[in-house]
Amino acid sequence: MESVEITYCSFCNKSQHEVVKVIAGPEVYICDECVELCNEILSEEKAEDDKKSKKRKFHDIARAEPPRPSWLYDRLSDYVIGQEEAKRDVAVAVHRHFLRSRVRGAHGYDKNNLLLIGPTGSGKTLLAKALAAALDLPLAIVDATTYTEAGYVGEDVEGMFKDLLKVAGGNREAAESGIIYIDEIDKLARKSVNPSITRDVSGEGVQQALLNILSGTDVTYDPKSNRKHPSSDRTAVNTEGILFIGGGSFEGLTRIVADRLVRTRLKTPQQVAAEPGRILTEAGQEDLIAFGLMPEFAARFTTISAFEPLSADHLRSILHSTPQSPIRQYQALLSEHRCDLTVTDGAVEELVQRALREQAGARGLHRVLDRTMRDVLFLLPDRKDIHSCLVDEDVVRGARPATLLDKKGRPVAVKRDRVFISYSRKDRAWLTELTTMLGPLIRNNALNVWYDQEIKPSRLWRDEINQALASTSVAVMLVSPEFLNSTFITAEELPYFLKAAKTENVKILWVLVENCLYEETPIAAYQAAHDIRTPLAALPRARRQEAWLRICQRIKQAAES
C-alpha cells in the first residue's frame, strides 16, 4: 500500500486535513486560514496608513459663502459664556473678512484684524479656538513674548507661519486662509514713555517686524527653523487672507481709558466708578498708544473688542453648560479609572465663590478644582475598589477629603500615610536633612512626606492645611528661633494647624533644631521627637546623624500606631 504524503502549512503547521486548502509554493506552503489572516493584517495597516496620510479638508474662504454674523454668534455662544458684545464684534469682523477675501482688490477693502482685550480667564483664547472650529479653518496660537527682532536671540516673527502650515497639514492654500492668534500681545508694549539708549528688540522691534505681516504681504520663512539662515531654503506665504487676532490682558489700560473719559468729560468720575468692568469697552487707538503700542501697530487692528470680567452667573454656566466644563473634564478623567464623579450644587457654589476670589476667571475654576481633586487623582491609580467619588462644599473648602465609595456604595477607607512637616523658610537646610533621612521610608512607600512650601499668607492657606491633614497620620514641626519669630507662623498658621490636627486626630511631634523659647508657646504641650536638652544644631555631625535616625524611627512608629 502506497503511503500518502501529508502537506503542512509552513506558517501555522496545520495539516491539509485541518484546513480547507493548502497552497504550494517553491519549497513553502500556506493554508487558507493564514492567507485570510495576512489579508486582515494588510487591510488594517493600509487603513492606518490612509488615516495618517489623509489631510483634513479646510474651507476655501475665497469661494465659500460668508458666514452670517448671527449664525457665527450662535456657534461662539456654544463655547464662550457671556461677552455678548465681543462675540458680536468678532462675528461681524469675520463676516467682513470673508467678503474681503472674495472681492480682494476689487473695491480696495482694507485688511481687518481683531484685538481682544480683557482680564485673564475671560475667554479670549477660547473664542479664537471656537472661531476656528466653527469656520473649519486652521488656527495657530503663538506667544508674542517668544519673538524678537530679526538678528537677535529668540524666534523671528515669520516662524508663526511654520506653526500655521503644520496645523493646516502642509496645505499652503488652507494656511493662507487661516487664523493666527497672537497671545500676550500686550507684552510688546513699550515699557516706559522715556526714550531708551538700548534697542527694545522684544517689544517695539517685534511690533515693527509685524507691521507688513498684519497689513498683508508676501513673507518668506524657513520651514525647518524659527530663525533666519542665509543658506536655508525659504518658503513663501501671502498674509492677505490670514485673519490675525491679537489677545492680551492689557493690565493698566483700564486706568488709561478711565482717565481719558474723565479728562475729555465723556464720563464723570462717578460714572466711571459705577461700571469698572465696562471701562475697556470704551478703549480706542489713542488708549493703546498711551499704553505703549506704536501708532502704526495699533492701527493695524481695526476692531478692538473688550472682554468683561466673568460674573458668578457666568462661572456657574461654565461649570454646568459648556462642553469644556472643568467638572465634565474631571468626570472624563475619573471614568478612565472606572470611577463616577458627583459634584453637589453646594460644591459648585463654593467653587464659584473661590474662583471669584482668585480673580482669574475660568482659569480660577480650574485652579480651585485641581486643588480639590488632587488627592483623589493621587489615590485612584492604586485603588481598584473605588467606584464613585462625591464632592460637596466641605470638600472644596478643604474641611474634609472627598467621599469615596465602593461598588456597593460603602465608604472606602483612605490610608493615612502622610507626614506633614511645618518649618520656617529660613530653616530649609534642616528640612533637607530630615527628608534625606526619611528617604528610604518614602521610597518603600511606608511614608508620604508633605511639607508646607505651598502655604502662603493668602486667603486659601487654611484650605491647603486642611487638605494636607486629611490624609496625614503624623505632623512634625521643626522648631527654631526663625520658626517662632515668624509672625505669620505663630499668630496665624500654628494655632490653626494645631486645632485642625486635633480635629483630624493627627499625632504631633516636634524637633528642636536650635535653642529658642519654645516653653512660652503651645508647642511645649506636645511630644518632642528627641532629647530637647541638646538641640540638633549643638550636636557634632556624627551624633546629629544618629539623632536624625532616632527621630525618623519615632516618626515611623507614630505613623504605624
Side-chain angles (χ1 to χ4, degrees), residues 245-258:
I245 303 177
S249 57
F250 285 84
E251 293 290 336
L253 183 61
T254 300
R255 177 183 53 77
I256 293 173
V257 177

Side-chain angles (χ1 to χ4, degrees), residues 153-170:
V153 176
E155 296 182 10
D156 293 338
V157 294
E158 290 83 2
M160 66 177 65
F161 300 110
K162 186 184 76 171
D163 298 333
L164 183 61
L165 191 65
K166 182 179 179 181
V167 176

